[in-house]
Amino acid sequence: MKRIFCLLIVCLLGGMLVAETCAASICETKEAVIFFGNGVKSLKRDARDSIALIEKRLKAELLPEEFKTLEFDIAYNGTHTLPLDLLESVIQLLTGNISKFWRYFFGLDPIPEWFAENFILLAGMLDESSLLTTDSLAKHVNTYKTVIAEGKKVILVAHSQGNLFGNQSYNLLESRERQSFGMVSVANVDNNVLEADSPYTTLKTDKVIQALIAVQLGLPTSPMRPNTENFPAADNFWGHSFIDSYMVEGSISAAQITGDITAALGNLATPYQVVEPGVITVSLTWGPEPDVDLHVNEPNGMHVYWDNMHGLSGALDRDDRSGWGPEHYHVASCNTLEEGIYTIALDYFKGSNPEVATLQIQAGRLIRTYEIPMASEYYGSSGSPEVVANLLVKPGVNSGFEFEILK
Amino acid sequence: MNIPQRMILVAMLLCLFSGSGVSGEKARLGPCVRQCIHTFNPSLADSGAVEFMAENFRARECVQKCKENIYEGECNSLADGCCHADYLEVDPDCQSGPPNPEPDPGTNPPPGTGPGDNLPPDPGEPGKATLEGIDSDRDGIRDDIQRYIVVTYPDSRKTREALRQATIALQKIILESPDVESALNNTELEARASECIRFIRPADGREIDNMLLAEFLNTLERSRAYLEYDAKLGGHVFVGKNIDEYRSSCLFDPDLMED
């Protein structure tokens, strides 16, 4: 009855929720995930266009059967107040026309010198410690680890400050995982690529990199030197845009970047599969305390957990009792996916100190990562799992399924 | 019997006695009705769905709103079922054809049906005074943006529809993203709208999408609200649709529109 009531509420509040369709592509198993890691001038919408362009270029480059094995995601890095700081720094010069700011920002209108100077100044003042917020980094690393554990290669196409995130993520991976993690470096503001002298692409006409090298503010060492020249150079003021400068169709830099991605696909080791991929996956990790347990109640009523690892829809394919995790639940395919609510809960089964659990739910195209602090009152509270999220699966509009993750 | 029950009964009777019946047939769901349903419930994303039929009473309310020109200038009598009052009374689901044939393409549309007709007045500076702005015709789109879309793209109805979808997402973003969870939900709406624009306009979709955003964020307050929303997305991972699937992101049926 309670579930029916919840479903009714969900229907009534539909306007507040978002559904994702489980299209055929979601049901297909992938072999590699290509992430785009943006710089601080890129809003999420820019990052989306960037990964779409990478997808388009690889579709033209690869055989259809190779292309089908790829998934394209965004590992979004926040802009760290740069756009707002920039807006506030130039607001007097805009004479009340705020839309003009955005037209400059997106490169829709020719950029005046004063706008460019303010941007360079503000970008140069961002230091690495303020960029690399630990919670953002942890979420990205958790995703990379989960993808690798599912037996897929990870390639991060990192642009600008996204290189700092990429290098730090690499540092936080285990050596086994590093063999399946590659980074294609573009406009690198860091001084290395994955701790090595690996290929990278920085345009000699990139004014942002030139300015960062000149001002030397904030960054630990000088960015890697520009090494690529396009003929003719793109007609883009900054020379720094991933889409408008580096990935211009037919350019040397675009060919180089696409080539680096395909090379990484071939060179990276296929990881040993620790957990099963699926149309729904729930991955739980935590710290050194011995045992945090993942519980899933399936729509059919089955309670899946360490003492009953197989449900009718999915299964707990990994149970960990010695710290860190992962514990992992998956619904292998659309064939066993059920309509209704999958309730996802945690139980701090064994431990003696506060612990922080990280739970990542992926359902179709929806990914949510939750960090759950487990305070002392939960120590050893076996048998009383705390609900973290409800995952609603319902029929798709024309076919397939739709997902909603409800907190 | 309360009103919803009565409406359901009427719908059932219509199903039983209608020559063609409703069962097994898609309800009419043109751009105006889709737009209207979307404001009720974005998760009813596409047309002709089982869910839509289950929500029939809502659809009819939307048909009524379209008929009443709440969405002025966007009503398509064939696609939306927003036929005149007499027609609605005899066939409230608009399952039959329209009582009068649609004007031939190429002929001048009748007065009051062109994209620029019935536009709200320019709100001017008062339209910038609040975060939400002025929406005098209550179509979910700020008056200044409604005017911008129609004036900038008078020749492409598909483009106008895609930009209206994007505007509704943007309005929700700046007004209803107080926490990470809501920002994560709203970013999916924005993504679907952007994908739709890029499907409709593969060559310049990114540019016109950014031009719309520039127009939409025309005050410091609105810009700040959008950037605060974007900041909440930092650290998260997003899976986009494949380019081949962008068409399904449109909340209207582009095939029903000629231009």
Side-chain angles (χ1 to χ4, degrees):
Chain A
M1 185 64 196
K2 201 172 177 182
R3 280 189 185 148
I4 293 169
F5 180 71
C6 285
L7 275 168
L8 280 170
I9 293 293
V10 164
C11 289
L12 290 170
L13 294 179
M16 306 293 291
L17 303 171
V18 176
E20 270 306 314
T21 303
C22 175
S25 61
I26 292 297
C27 299
E28 292 165 355
T29 303
K30 306 293 183 183
E31 292 175 10
V33 182
I34 297 176
F35 291 90
F36 179 74
N38 59 292
V40 290
K41 188 180 171 287
S42 298
L43 300 173
K44 192 232 167 184
R45 56 171 40 218
D46 303 312
R48 197 176 53 236
D49 281 319
S50 299
I51 194 69
L53 182 57
I54 293 168
E55 180 190 345
K56 193 175 162 189
R57 292 290 158 77
L58 287 178
K59 191 175 184 182
E61 189 79 16
L62 298 173
L63 296 170
E65 56 268 29
E66 292 173 323
F67 179 76
K68 261 181 71 173
T69 65
L70 304 178
E71 179 179 313
F72 297 89
D73 296 1
I74 301 164
Y76 186 58
N77 306 309
T79 57
H80 297 270
T81 75
L82 179 73
L84 186 58
D85 291 344
L86 182 58
L87 172 57
E88 289 175 342
S89 73
V90 300
I91 200 160
Q92 299 298 331
L93 297 163
L94 293 165
T95 59
N97 189 348
I98 306 294
S99 290
K100 201 75 180 161
F101 168 83
W102 290 106
R103 295 182 69 86
Y104 295 147
F105 188 85
F106 290 126
L108 298 168
D109 286 348
I111 298 166
E113 287 291 336
W114 49 266
F115 189 90
E117 284 167 8
N118 275 279
F119 171 75
I120 297 289
L121 185 68
L122 289 167
M125 287 166 67
L126 288 169
D127 63 54
E128 187 171 358
S129 59
S130 70
L131 287 171
L132 292 172
T133 50
T134 47
D135 58 334
S136 291
L137 190 62
K139 282 177 185 157
H140 287 175
V141 171
N142 188 67
T143 301
Y144 301 145
K145 281 176 170 280
T146 302
V147 170
I148 291 169
E150 288 174 354
K152 302 171 195 166
K153 302 171 186 177
V154 169
I155 296 171
L156 174 66
V157 181
H159 176 241
S160 195
Q161 285 86 353
N163 284 277
L164 299 171
F165 274 84
N167 280 333
Q168 289 298 319
S169 297
Y170 184 74
N171 290 338
L172 294 170
L173 297 175
E174 294 169 23
S175 58
R176 165 185 65 81
E177 295 166 326
R178 289 180 180 187
Q179 293 170 23
S180 303
F181 181 92
M183 186 162 93
V184 173
S185 173
V186 181
N188 194 347
V189 299
D190 209 345
N191 61 353
N192 69 87
V193 182
L194 305 186
E195 298 180 343
D197 186 20
S198 302
Y200 67 97
T201 303
T202 298
L203 285 170
K204 292 179 179 174
T205 48
D206 188 328
K207 290 183 183 172
V208 174
I209 295 293
Q210 287 172 4
L212 291 177
I213 290 171
V215 295
Q216 276 293 295
L217 288 169
L219 298 169
T221 54
S222 181
M224 297 181 84
R225 294 277 154 184
N227 63 351
T228 307
E229 200 162 2
N230 283 335
F231 302 101
D235 183 21
N236 177 268
F237 183 87
W238 309 102
H240 187 68
S241 161
F242 181 78
I243 295 173
D244 298 321
S245 304
Y246 281 86
M247 290 295 280
V248 174
E249 194 158 17
S251 65
I252 292 170
S253 56
Q256 205 163 288
I257 292 162
T258 311
D260 286 349
I261 298 171
T262 52
L265 280 170
N267 295 338
L268 289 175
T270 300
Y272 172 72
Q273 190 175 305
V274 180
V275 296
E276 296 287 334
V279 65
I280 295 176
T281 58
V282 184
S283 185
L284 169 68
T285 53
W286 65 94
E289 297 298 322
D291 199 3
V292 181
D293 286 322
L294 175 61
H295 292 244
V296 177
N297 281 294
E298 297 180 337
N300 56 62
M302 290 284 279
H303 179 194
V304 182
Y305 67 116
W306 58 270
D307 199 29
N308 178 40
M309 294 179 65
H310 292 276
L312 295 173
S313 178
L316 190 74
D317 54 277
R318 189 176 169 92
D319 177 37
D320 182 272
R321 302 175 187 194
S322 56
W324 304 102
E327 293 215 355
H328 192 267
Y329 170 87
H330 78 290
V331 175
S333 75
C334 291
N335 296 333
T336 58
L337 187 63
E338 293 179 354
E339 293 168 22
I341 291 180
Y342 291 72
T343 300
I344 296 148
L346 300 186
D347 183 20
Y348 190 174
F349 189 82
K350 189 178 179 185
S352 52
N353 289 299
E355 188 57 277
V356 177
T358 302
L359 186 77
Q360 180 182 290
I361 304 169
Q362 176 159 11
R365 292 191 184 86
L366 287 182
I367 301 181
R368 292 286 188 275
T369 303
Y370 303 104
E371 294 204 333
I372 304 121
M374 298 180 140
S376 55
E377 58 264 34
Y378 295 115
Y379 299 174
S381 61
S382 62
S384 55
E386 298 281 323
V387 174
V388 177
N390 289 304
L391 170 62
L392 174 66
V393 182
K394 57 184 186 178
V397 172
N398 295 313
S399 62
F401 298 91
E402 289 182 355
F403 301 100
E404 291 174 4
I405 296 176
L406 317 170
K407 270 283 272 182
Chain B
M1 187 182 289
N2 59 29
I3 291 170
Q5 285 173 323
R6 195 178 302 153
M7 293 178 85
I8 290 167
L9 183 61
V10 170
M12 289 172 69
L13 288 172
L14 279 166
C15 288
L16 287 171
F17 294 109
S18 152
S20 57
V22 188
S23 59
E25 188 177 324
K26 281 187 177 181
R28 293 194 184 281
L29 201 56
C32 180
V33 173
R34 280 169 198 267
Q35 189 74 58
C36 177
I37 291 171
H38 180 63
T39 59
F40 278 117
N41 188 346
S43 65
L44 293 176
D46 214 334
S47 67
V50 174
E51 291 100 318
F52 168 67
M53 296 303 291
E55 300 281 342
N56 202 18
F57 68 95
R58 278 186 180 169
R60 187 169 306 132
E61 192 175 333
C62 287
V63 168
Q64 188 67 29
K65 284 182 175 176
C66 291
K67 188 211 72 155
E68 290 168 354
N69 283 333
I70 286 176
Y71 297 99
E72 288 172 22
E74 297 294 338
C75 181
N76 177 318
S77 62
L78 183 62
D80 287 323
C82 50
C83 32
H84 61 68
D86 292 344
Y87 181 65
L88 268 182
E89 281 173 12
V90 296
D91 185 5
D93 288 320
C94 291
Q95 291 297 316
S96 308
N100 297 311
E102 292 283 284
D104 288 337
T107 60
N108 290 330
T113 58
D117 295 330
N118 304 316
L119 272 178
D122 183 349
E125 284 305 307
K128 296 180 178 175
T130 61
L131 188 60
E132 59 267 41
I134 294 173
D135 177 15
S136 61
D137 56 3
R138 293 178 297 143
D139 68 342
I141 315 272
R142 258 171 31 207
D143 289 353
D144 57 325
I145 300 301
Q146 189 178 347
R147 292 177 60 84
Y148 165 79
I149 292 170
V150 170
V151 169
T152 314
Y153 306 100
D155 300 327
S156 172
R157 186 164 180 198
K158 292 176 186 176
T159 305
R160 292 197 301 276
E161 282 304 320
L163 293 177
R164 288 174 67 90
Q165 181 179 335
T167 306
I168 287 172
L170 290 172
Q171 189 78 348
K172 198 167 170 63
I173 279 168
I174 64 167
L175 293 176
E176 299 175 36
S177 302
D179 50 38
V180 171
E181 203 65 24
S182 57
L184 289 170
N185 284 336
N186 289 337
T187 200
E188 298 297 329
L189 297 179
E190 187 186 28
R192 297 296 85 79
S194 290
E195 288 158 1
C196 177
I197 292 171
R198 282 148 186 75
F199 169 74
I200 301 289
R201 306 279 291 241
D204 61 356
R206 175 172 160 246
E207 186 182 347
I208 68 167
D209 195 8
N210 284 337
M211 282 165 59
L212 174 74
L213 185 64
E215 202 67 27
F216 187 86
L217 301 180
N218 60 350
T219 68
L220 182 59
E221 188 186 13
R222 288 167 187 159
S223 299
R224 191 174 276 144
Y226 185 83
L227 290 170
E228 284 170 1
Y229 142 81
D230 193 82
K232 293 182 180 92
L233 308 176
H236 290 270
V237 172
F238 301 95
V239 185
K241 280 190 181 178
N242 292 349
I243 295 168
D244 294 343
E245 296 170 332
Y246 279 5
R247 187 187 186 289
S248 64
S249 295
C250 296
L251 297 178
F252 56 94
D253 190 345
D255 293 342
L256 291 174
M257 300 170 194
E258 287 183 6
D259 52 355

